[in-house]
């Protein structure tokens, strides 16, 4: 006990010193920012390089108010290094605290007695605010036990804490296989398969922080984080700011196209059809037919008609469409070329008339002078007079002529009729509603599938957004905006065409082929981190393997990794999942749970007319048992409304799809038979069963669960059957 008190006192002194230096650094940074003049701070819309660097550093230090120091490494050579969320150091001095992302910090996550990596001991330092409340030491000499976990005491302590409804930072407890994913190379696509509770989301978010720290140029383009729902984004919302990272846009696929709002749900059949990769080729071919064909262009300027010959128009059209330019970009180039051709035609005609005037046609010259002297809308004369003509327009004359042509409303209207500007939403709506067009450009669709698509009601559904993005990309978004400053989340989120440095996708198994293609447009280098579990797929476009899911967007250019250890869900619950996965037809093995709560899952039956009362009673008991934590209810979608009214608004009642990625201290799974009989069946039940960190309760409807299970009908996995009561064992770990 005395030894532990001494260790805590020793680490308290180190933590106090780290916080003191942090405060001093923050004071200096705020002073440096105040000293910057408006000019040196850059343009008003965004910070200059130095100001941006200072502000990011302030954000890093501000975010490290808690957990500033969480670990220590004692080297075999006698060196001692403290680790924390951010680096703390005086200028040109050894760091007082090493940033967890620095290379020298990696042994904290990967050293073992078998491979100590030059370290003698690893110490986890637990703090509450700025106070050290505990230490856990791990000797790294070869005689020490090499178990499953790195920092077992600290990890189990963290896992036993109550869930708050918000994901916490886990830099102190990342495990070896998790750290390997966090620090993996950023080139190409990395796809991480991991079952429930393996820390996929934690790994993905900490990988963002690691990449932004290690690859500084990424901050210039930012990182896009895609989650499955707004509830999920709220859940993870504090993780990256707590790690000092603000160069991130976090959103869902539904919100990736600025101005496009999902206003309706849709049948699974329609979502599956519109998620297929075939739409990319179909839309590309359709938009190609919207381009004008090379034919003569007739324009009226200053009351006179000019015919631009078909040959020159076709040549200009071909040049404008070269290099794969989108529709509107090609149109802008073509219009500029037409303006040049028209200016040449006007100048040629004027010079011809002027030449005739020099030969003595004074009456014609008078008419020419009157025509050429006309002013533009602002009263600026062309500048040519019959008294000083020499038969050739000056460069200044021609430039004035070009400007007048560019501003001429009649010319603009004629060109708009010849090559029409298009709206992406209108183009897509017209295409999807026209069965004739669908048969022509999407020949792989069956007549029934064409009917499903063509009969969709007005408004955007989730599966429409990737199609709309594809059309918007083919058309282009109009004139390019002038880039102002570097990355900010607001600027990047407001532009459909922003190109990110890296993309992270959570619950990646849910994405359709068209959603993947939409994301690749935002990161053409294909620098991706995708995490998910194919066995938890809820989406209608389910794929049996990652290869099937990724082939349309990545081909074979991706690397696989796997997380095999379940840290969240206790052994008692994970023991139920093998049967569920077998019935789901999975070929994967469930992850191996490394912790136990001592509480076996319970299962009870309820009559239909008593279900809401029974669920409310179960929730009330669990909430009293896990005060300060969270309890969630998971049920088939059709039961959610009544159950939510019964348990109250402060307890979430979710479908398995909405519960994905979330965790609770305890979960009540209502009507597991109904979940297993739903659209995603056993896969959905697998999700529902694995959301808890401590205790699982199942409530079946109408069946006598004490009777032997019928292997031919769906039913909850085997569990003890009893009235809900106080657990027989106390919580462990």
């Amino acid at each position: 006990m005395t030894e532990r008190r001494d260790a805590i006192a020793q680490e308290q002194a180190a933590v106090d010193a780290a916080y003191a230096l942090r405060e001093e650094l923050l004071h200096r940074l705020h002073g440096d920012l105040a000293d910057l003049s408006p000019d040196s701070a850059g343009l008003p819309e965004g910070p200059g390089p130095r100001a941006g660097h200072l502000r990011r550093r302030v954000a890093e230090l501000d975010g490290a108010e808690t957990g500033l120091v969480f670990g220590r490494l004692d080297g075999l050579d006698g060196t001692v290094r403290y680790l924390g969320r951010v680096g703390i150091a005086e200028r040109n001095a050894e760091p007082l605290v090493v940033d967890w992302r620095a290379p020298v910090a990696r042994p904290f996550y990967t050293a073992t007695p078998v491979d100590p990596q030059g370290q003698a001991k690893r110490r986890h330092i637990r703090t509450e605010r700025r106070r050290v409340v505990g230490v856990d030491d791990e000797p790294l000499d070869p005689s020490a036990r090499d178990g499953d976990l790195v920092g077992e005491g600290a990890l189990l302590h963290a896992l036993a804490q109550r869930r708050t409804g918000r994901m916490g930072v886990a830099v102190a407890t990342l495990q070896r296989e998790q750290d390997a994913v966090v620090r993996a190379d950023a080139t190409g696509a990395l796809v991480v398969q991991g079952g429930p509770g393996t820390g996929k989301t934690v790994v993905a978010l900490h990988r963002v922080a690691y990449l932004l720290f290690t690859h500084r140029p990424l901050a210039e383009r930012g990182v896009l984080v895609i989650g499955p729902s707004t509830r999920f984004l709220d859940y993870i919302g504090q993780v990256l700011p707590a790690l000092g990272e603000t160069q991130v846009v976090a959103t869902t696929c539904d919100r990736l196209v600025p101005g496009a709002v999902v206003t309706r749900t849709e049948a699974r059949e329609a979502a599956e059809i519109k998620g297929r990769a075939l739409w990319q080729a179909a839309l590309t071919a359709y938009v190609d037919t919207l381009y004008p064909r090379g034919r003569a262009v007739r324009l009226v300027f200053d009351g006179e008609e000019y015919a631009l010959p078909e040959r020159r128009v076709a040549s200009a059209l071909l040049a404008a469409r070269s290099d794969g330019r989108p529709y509107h970009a090609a149109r802008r180039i073509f219009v500029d070329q037409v303006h040049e051709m028209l200016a040449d035609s006007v100048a040629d005609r004027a010079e011809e008339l002027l030449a005739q005037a020099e030969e003595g046609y004074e009456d014609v010259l008078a008419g020419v002078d009157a025509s050429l002297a006309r002013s533009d809308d602002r009263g600026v004369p062309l500048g040519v007079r019959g008294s000083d003509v020499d038969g050739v327009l000056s460069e200044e004359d021609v430039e004035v002529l070009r400007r007048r042509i560019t501003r001429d409303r009649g010319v603009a209207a004629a060109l708009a009729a010849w090559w029409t500007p298009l709206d992406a939403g209108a183009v897509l709506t017209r295409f999807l509603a026209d069965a004739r067009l669908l048969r022509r450009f999407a020949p792989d669709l069956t007549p029934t599938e064409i009917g499903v698509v063509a009969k969709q009601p007005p408004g955007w559904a989730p599966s429409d957004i990737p199609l709309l993005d594809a059309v918007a990309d083919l058309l282009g978004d109009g004139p390019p905006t002038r880039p102002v400053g570097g990355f900010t989340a607001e600027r990047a989120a407001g532009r459909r065409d922003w190109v990110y440095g890296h993309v992270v996708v959570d619950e990646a198994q849910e994405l359709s082929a068209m959603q993947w293609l939409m994301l690749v447009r935002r990161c053409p280098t294909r620098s991706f981190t995708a995490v998910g579990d194919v066995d938890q797929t809820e989406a209608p476009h389910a794929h049996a393997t990652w290869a099937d899911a990724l082939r349309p967007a990545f081909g074979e250019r991706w690397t696989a990794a796997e997380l095999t250890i379940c840290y969240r869900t206790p052994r008692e619950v994970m023991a139920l999942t093998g049967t569920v996965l077998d019935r789901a037809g999975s070929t994967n093995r469930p992850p191996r749970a490394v912790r136990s709560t001592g509480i076996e899952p319970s299962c009870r039956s309820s009559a239909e007319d008593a279900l809401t009362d029974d669920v409310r009673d179960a929730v009330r008991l669990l909430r009293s048992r896990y005060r300060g934590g969270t309890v969630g209810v998971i049920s088939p979608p059709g039961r959610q409304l009544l159950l939510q009214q019964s348990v109250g608004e402060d307890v979430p009642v979710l479908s398995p799809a909405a519960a994905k990625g979330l965790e609770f201290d305890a979960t009540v799974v209502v009507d597991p038979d109904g979940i297993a009989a739903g659209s995603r069946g056993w896969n959905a039940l697998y999700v529902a069963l694995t959301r808890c960190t401590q205790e699982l309760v199942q409530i079946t409807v109408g069946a006598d669960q004490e009777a032997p299970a019928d292997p031919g009908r769906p039913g909850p996995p085997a569990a003890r059957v009893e009235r809900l009561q106080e657990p027989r064992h106390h919580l462990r770990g």
Side-chain angles (χ1 to χ4, degrees):
M1 183 64 75
T2 300
E3 182 179 350
R4 179 166 292 272
R5 281 199 302 268
D6 291 344
I8 289 176
Q10 178 186 23
E11 303 309 352
Q12 185 66 62
V15 169
D16 290 343
Y19 274 104
L21 182 53
R22 170 180 173 269
E23 298 302 320
E24 183 179 338
L25 292 174
L26 278 170
H27 180 74
R28 291 181 198 166
L29 288 167
H30 285 299
D32 290 344
L33 280 169
D35 290 341
L36 287 175
S37 67
D39 289 340
S40 63
L43 294 170
E45 294 86 346
R50 175 161 169 73
H53 170 74
L54 293 174
R55 288 171 184 149
R56 284 194 294 272
R57 181 59 173 156
V58 168
E60 281 185 339
L61 293 173
D62 279 339
E65 170 59 33
T66 59
L68 179 63
V69 180
F70 59 74
R72 170 177 148 177
L73 278 173
D74 292 10
L76 291 170
D77 59 0
T79 59
V80 174
R81 290 190 176 93
Y82 284 93
L83 278 69
R85 289 192 185 182
V86 298
I88 303 291
E90 285 282 12
R91 291 188 180 95
N92 303 319
E94 283 294 315
L96 186 61
V97 179
V98 174
D99 192 298
W100 68 276
R101 296 162 288 192
V104 296
R106 190 167 194 185
F108 186 80
Y109 303 101
T110 58
T112 68
V114 174
D115 179 23
Q117 300 174 31
Q119 308 304 314
K121 182 178 70 175
R122 171 173 42 228
R123 169 173 285 179
H124 286 261
I125 302 170
R126 298 200 305 275
T127 58
E128 292 179 358
R129 296 185 180 274
R130 299 189 179 193
R131 185 170 66 90
V132 178
V133 297
V135 296
D136 294 289
D137 285 341
E138 289 181 276
L140 295 173
D141 60 84
S143 64
R145 179 177 64 89
D146 183 23
D148 292 319
L149 307 179
V150 171
E152 180 173 356
L155 175 63
L156 295 181
H157 180 273
L159 292 171
Q161 299 303 300
R162 294 288 180 261
R163 305 299 103 176
T164 65
R166 305 296 289 271
M167 176 174 282
V169 175
V171 290
T173 55
L174 288 174
Q175 299 299 294
R176 285 193 295 271
E177 68 174 12
Q178 295 175 324
D179 182 77
V181 172
V182 168
R183 299 176 193 261
D185 190 75
T187 58
L190 175 66
V191 180
V192 183
Q193 163 68 28
T198 53
K200 299 183 294 295
T201 300
V202 165
V203 165
L205 295 177
H206 286 72
R207 177 161 169 76
V208 171
Y210 171 77
L211 293 176
L212 286 170
F213 174 84
T214 308
H215 304 283
R216 292 300 187 186
L218 279 183
E220 299 174 6
R221 303 307 306 170
V223 175
L224 176 64
V225 175
I226 295 294
S229 66
T230 54
R231 179 186 287 271
F232 175 84
L233 295 176
D234 290 340
Y235 174 61
I236 68 171
Q238 295 303 308
V239 176
L240 288 170
L243 293 170
E245 299 301 348
T246 59
Q247 308 300 95
V248 176
V249 171
T251 188
T252 65
C253 284
D254 293 354
R255 299 190 295 179
L256 269 181
V257 179
V261 179
V262 171
T263 58
R264 64 178 179 87
T265 58
E266 62 186 335
R268 292 176 64 86
E269 181 184 14
E272 188 279 324
I273 295 170
K274 289 191 287 184
R276 299 176 192 172
L278 64 86
W279 292 98
Q280 187 64 48
L283 291 168
T284 300
Y286 173 58
V287 170
D288 184 69
T289 66
L290 304 180
Y291 284 82
R293 298 301 178 238
R295 62 185 188 278
V297 176
R298 295 185 177 276
L299 300 170
V300 175
F301 178 71
D302 274 352
E304 296 196 39
E305 183 176 89
Y306 296 86
L308 305 183
E310 180 177 326
R311 178 182 55 79
R312 294 191 65 188
V313 171
S315 177
L317 181 62
L318 182 64
R321 295 194 60 183
S322 64
D323 298 329
R325 294 186 184 93
Y327 182 94
H328 288 123
R331 183 183 183 279
R332 288 192 296 273
I333 292 175
F334 176 81
V335 167
D336 288 343
Q337 291 182 337
V338 168
H339 289 162
E340 292 288 335
M341 286 190 280
L342 179 57
D344 290 343
S345 296
V346 174
D348 288 346
R349 184 173 297 182
E351 289 173 359
E352 180 182 346
L353 294 175
L354 290 170
Q356 294 175 5
E358 285 185 325
E359 296 175 4
Y361 296 101
E362 295 298 336
D363 54 338
V364 177
L365 178 58
V368 173
D369 283 344
S371 174
L372 295 179
R374 290 192 184 101
S375 301
D376 63 12
D377 295 339
R378 295 176 298 174
V380 178
L382 182 61
V384 179
R385 296 291 182 268
S387 60
D388 57 4
V389 294
D390 59 3
V392 178
L393 298 183
S394 69
E395 291 185 6
E396 181 182 355
D397 297 334
V398 174
E399 183 58 35
V400 171
L401 178 61
R402 287 171 180 157
R403 288 201 298 269
R404 290 187 59 222
I405 289 172
T406 300
R407 293 194 298 267
D408 189 279
R409 294 180 180 179
V411 172
L415 289 176
W418 197 90
W419 188 333
T420 308
L422 298 173
D423 173 74
V427 169
L428 180 62
T429 298
R430 182 168 62 249
F431 180 68
L432 295 180
D434 191 326
R436 179 184 58 83
L437 292 176
L438 294 174
R439 284 193 296 271
R440 176 183 173 188
F441 293 103
D444 290 339
L445 295 180
T446 67
T448 299
E449 291 170 339
I450 289 174
V452 169
V453 173
K455 294 177 182 178
Q456 293 295 295
W460 299 128
S463 67
D464 292 316
I465 300 301
L467 305 186
L468 180 63
D469 187 71
V471 174
D473 186 67
L474 292 166
L475 297 181
D477 290 324
T481 56
R482 181 173 63 92
V484 179
F487 173 91
T488 67
E490 295 78 10
R491 182 179 298 116
R495 289 185 54 175
R496 190 202 61 80
D497 59 348
W498 189 273
V499 175
Y500 292 88
H502 192 79
V503 176
V504 172
V505 186
D506 205 332
E507 301 294 346
Q509 75 280 353
E510 302 298 336
L511 269 59
S512 69
M514 288 303 294
Q515 286 174 321
W516 279 116
L517 291 169
M518 176 169 63
L519 295 182
V520 167
R521 281 192 283 275
R522 285 155 176 79
C523 187
T525 61
R526 289 173 169 76
S527 180
F528 274 68
T529 300
V531 300
D533 180 7
V534 290
D535 291 323
Q536 295 186 63
T537 305
E538 168 66 23
H541 38 263
H543 301 287
T545 66
W546 284 110
D548 291 340
L550 299 171
R551 189 171 292 113
F554 296 96
E556 305 301 323
R557 294 175 294 172
W558 56 278
T559 303
E562 187 174 7
L563 299 174
T564 62
I565 300 175
C566 174
Y567 307 100
R568 177 187 68 214
T569 312
R571 289 193 188 103
E572 292 84 355
V573 174
M574 288 305 296
L576 307 178
T577 61
T579 300
V580 175
L581 284 181
D582 287 344
R583 293 188 177 185
S586 171
T587 59
N588 297 317
R589 299 177 64 181
R592 181 165 53 93
V594 293
R595 54 184 288 270
S596 171
T597 62
I599 304 175
E600 292 294 330
S602 64
C603 183
R604 60 168 297 182
S605 62
S606 174
E608 187 71 57
D609 59 1
L611 180 63
T612 55
D613 291 339
D614 288 342
V615 172
R616 183 178 61 247
D617 292 344
V619 167
R620 184 182 297 121
L621 180 57
L622 290 171
R623 293 189 74 186
S624 67
R625 187 177 298 166
Y626 298 99
R627 294 187 185 278
T630 58
V631 175
V633 177
I634 303 176
S635 76
R639 296 187 179 276
Q640 288 178 244
L641 181 59
L642 287 176
L643 291 175
Q644 189 71 74
Q645 294 172 346
S646 175
V647 301
E649 292 300 321
D650 53 346
V651 174
V653 179
L654 307 169
S655 67
K660 293 172 67 62
L662 305 180
E663 61 181 36
F664 307 94
D665 290 281
T667 52
V668 180
V669 176
V670 180
D671 191 10
D673 285 7
I675 293 174
S679 58
R680 287 297 297 152
W682 295 100
N683 300 83
L685 185 57
Y686 181 55
V687 173
L689 294 176
T690 53
R691 297 304 96 196
C692 69
T693 65
Q694 304 295 338
E695 185 172 356
L696 169 67
V697 175
Q698 296 183 76
I699 299 181
T700 62
V701 183
D704 181 4
Q705 291 302 302
E706 296 190 70
D710 179 357
R713 75 180 272 284
R720 62 186 173 98
V721 181
E722 58 184 35
R723 286 287 172 181
L724 192 63
Q725 60 187 21
E726 293 298 326
R728 300 173 181 175
H729 306 285
H730 294 293
L731 290 177
R732 297 202 307 265

